[in-house]
Amino acid sequence: MATSCFKSESPYLKRDERQHHPSDIKYGMFLDQVQGSSSGCKPVNVALIGVGRAGGIHLGNLVSSPSFRLLYVVESDKSKFAQVQSLAGSDCIVTEDLNKPLSDKQLEAVIICTPTFTHCEIVLQSLKAGKAVFCEKPIGETVEDTKRCYDTSSSTGNILFCAFQRRWDPTFADIQARVRRGDAGHVQIIKSISRDSPLPSIEYLKISGGIFHDCMVHDIDMQTWVLGELPTQVHTMANAQIPEIAAIDDFDNVVTTLRYPSGTLGIINVNRFATYGYDQRLEVFGTKAMFEADNGRPNTCLTSGEEHFSRVPIHHSFPSRYETAYAAEMESFARIVRKVEPLGITYKVSSAVSKIADAAEKSAREGTPVNLTWADDDLPSGYTAA
């Protein structure tokens, strides 16, 4: 055979030397599971506060991870108690009393997944009780509230982790690493798309903090993290095509442009509802290369017919789209609590994202661009002013 000269040695000869490619994050997480806690230390004793949309995801991850021991679940809706207890196990205490876990000296950390308007006070209570805190974004509804929380974290010496889970998405993380290595050259344009699915309830939207602080903050964090820059100007055009959303003085279609100090232009498109699924994309166009993060799908089945080809729709919503990211984010929190990994999302990151979101909303409501200034001390570690 013509190719017989290309035969290689038996794959068993160096079997133990071969490793999985680092892009296969799921396999790495599997190895952590079978080899023990990914933190490399004893499990973190934790309480979950709130079992809504995000809380339900975290509940499953906490129960299945060797890095945590779930001692408490705090939930105000007693109708959920039986289901939560069955998932959390008999050793976990399910209660509506927040003071019960906060007064337990065995408890080391809390996971806060309650509505946005409650975050600040629960964060402050938990930090003052001596607990490390994982809080879904945003930490506070205002820049001032966010600062109060981080000041308390600093004064008490307890960790405050703001959850921007997209940083742990394998594709987004890969793109960020490539951009920071210089593989794209100088980035000319960075564009992100976030279109929600399914349509959120009006009850949720009323307490969500609005589309800028509920949705766009993820894109703002993504763009600034990928680039390592903070914008000097934002300009937003927005409207509400859905009457019920207009009635609560919010928007459902938003386009924001961002001007970065190095000359990079940013575009963020956020929508409250996409009929075809949870649309999450990122494009980075540079002088040397372009990187794209496309939508994943629940399975890879391709149907071929006489006159058509089709695939299953993209992921329906965020629990399936960001399944891996949520799990990896929680493992990262365990390592941070055990001080084997540094805290990446600091006060400077959270406050900058909130400041940019405020400016984007102000631009939408006033119809004019908004300029932003940053002192050197405002820049998060790894970010530059130009």
Side-chain angles (χ1 to χ4, degrees):
M1 180 181 290
T3 62
S4 61
C5 60
F6 301 122
K7 283 185 177 181
S8 59
E9 61 187 10
S10 168
Y12 280 98
L13 292 177
K14 297 181 179 179
R15 178 177 180 271
D16 294 336
E17 297 177 20
R18 288 190 296 275
Q19 303 292 327
H20 69 284
H21 192 273
S23 64
D24 193 345
I25 289 178
K26 283 190 173 182
Y27 188 76
M29 292 171 65
F30 161 74
L31 291 180
D32 286 340
Q33 293 274 2
V34 298
Q35 294 171 0
S37 167
S38 72
S39 67
C41 305
K42 66 178 183 179
V44 177
N45 290 331
V46 68
L48 176 65
I49 305 173
V51 192
R53 303 198 310 167
I57 298 169
H58 294 315
L59 175 59
N61 288 330
L62 290 169
V63 169
S64 64
S65 171
S67 299
F68 294 94
R69 180 170 170 243
L70 185 60
L71 300 186
Y72 296 90
V73 174
V74 180
E75 172 55 50
S76 60
D77 185 355
K78 288 188 174 181
S79 69
K80 295 181 179 180
F81 276 26
Q83 183 181 9
V84 169
Q85 191 75 71
S86 67
L87 292 170
S90 58
D91 292 337
C92 178
I93 298 172
V94 182
T95 177
E96 58 182 344
D97 182 6
L98 177 59
N99 291 321
K100 185 173 288 187
L102 293 187
S103 62
D104 187 341
K105 292 183 179 180
Q106 288 189 85
L107 191 77
E108 300 172 276
V110 299
I111 313 295
I112 300 173
C113 307
T114 53
T116 296
F117 71 89
T118 68
H119 286 183
C120 180
E121 290 308 313
I122 298 176
V123 167
L124 292 172
Q125 277 185 264
S126 302
L127 290 170
K128 291 174 182 177
K131 315 306 180 187
V133 173
F134 173 115
C135 184
E136 282 296 327
K137 57 77 195 162
I139 295 294
E141 291 190 283
T142 66
V143 173
E144 292 75 21
D145 280 347
T146 300
K147 187 175 188 304
R148 284 174 60 207
C149 291
Y150 278 99
D151 284 348
T152 303
S153 170
S154 179
S155 65
T156 60
N158 295 311
I159 293 163
L160 177 52
F161 178 106
C162 182
F164 283 114
Q165 92 283 353
R166 293 187 194 180
R167 290 189 177 209
W168 284 268
D169 175 83
T171 306
F172 292 154
D174 188 26
I175 289 176
Q176 191 265 358
R178 290 171 185 267
V179 170
R180 294 296 191 97
R181 282 199 307 263
D183 295 355
H186 175 228
V187 176
Q188 312 287 286
I189 294 174
I190 183 168
K191 178 172 63 176
S192 58
I193 293 173
S194 294
R195 296 173 182 157
D196 211 353
S197 168
L199 181 65
S201 70
I202 292 298
E203 289 71 25
Y204 169 75
L205 295 183
K206 287 178 179 178
I207 61 171
S208 69
I211 195 169
F212 291 93
H213 285 276
D214 185 45
C215 296
M216 188 179 282
V217 286
H218 283 293
D219 297 87
I220 293 169
D221 179 62
M222 177 63 58
Q223 287 202 5
T224 55
W225 175 62
V226 168
L227 295 174
E229 292 186 75
L230 302 177
T232 55
Q233 185 184 80
V234 297
H235 191 186
T236 301
M237 297 184 69
N239 59 31
Q241 299 283 356
I242 301 173
E244 292 84 354
I245 293 180
I248 61 172
D249 195 30
D250 202 357
F251 304 97
D252 54 52
N253 291 287
V254 180
V255 177
T256 295
T257 56
L258 306 93
R259 185 182 299 276
Y260 290 93
S262 69
T264 300
L265 299 178
I267 304 165
I268 297 176
N269 171 212
V270 179
N271 305 81
R272 270 299 185 189
F273 179 53
T275 61
Y276 53 88
Y278 192 63
D279 191 355
Q280 306 279 292
R281 287 174 280 163
L282 176 69
E283 177 187 291
V284 178
F285 171 68
T287 54
K288 293 168 60 177
M290 180 180 75
F291 306 130
E292 292 180 284
D294 206 348
N295 290 305
R297 299 174 189 272
N299 67 62
T300 58
C301 176
L302 171 64
T303 300
S304 301
E306 187 175 341
E307 296 182 355
H308 75 280
F309 297 91
S310 66
R311 295 188 183 275
V312 298
I314 61 175
H315 289 291
H316 182 63
S317 192
F318 68 92
S320 52
R321 169 61 180 83
Y322 288 117
E323 176 187 9
T324 301
Y326 277 114
E329 174 190 53
M330 193 59 70
E331 294 302 319
S332 178
F333 178 61
R335 293 191 294 271
I336 291 167
V337 171
R338 291 295 179 230
K339 302 187 186 307
V340 295
E341 178 179 313
L343 180 67
I345 303 173
T346 61
Y347 165 66
K348 291 182 179 181
V349 172
S350 295
S351 62
V353 169
S354 293
K355 181 177 175 179
I356 297 164
D358 284 343
E361 182 169 6
K362 179 180 180 182
S363 177
R365 296 191 181 281
E366 297 181 357
T368 58
V370 174
N371 293 322
L372 294 162
T373 58
W374 308 95
D376 288 343
D377 194 48
D378 294 330
L379 299 176
S381 177
Y383 289 55
T384 62

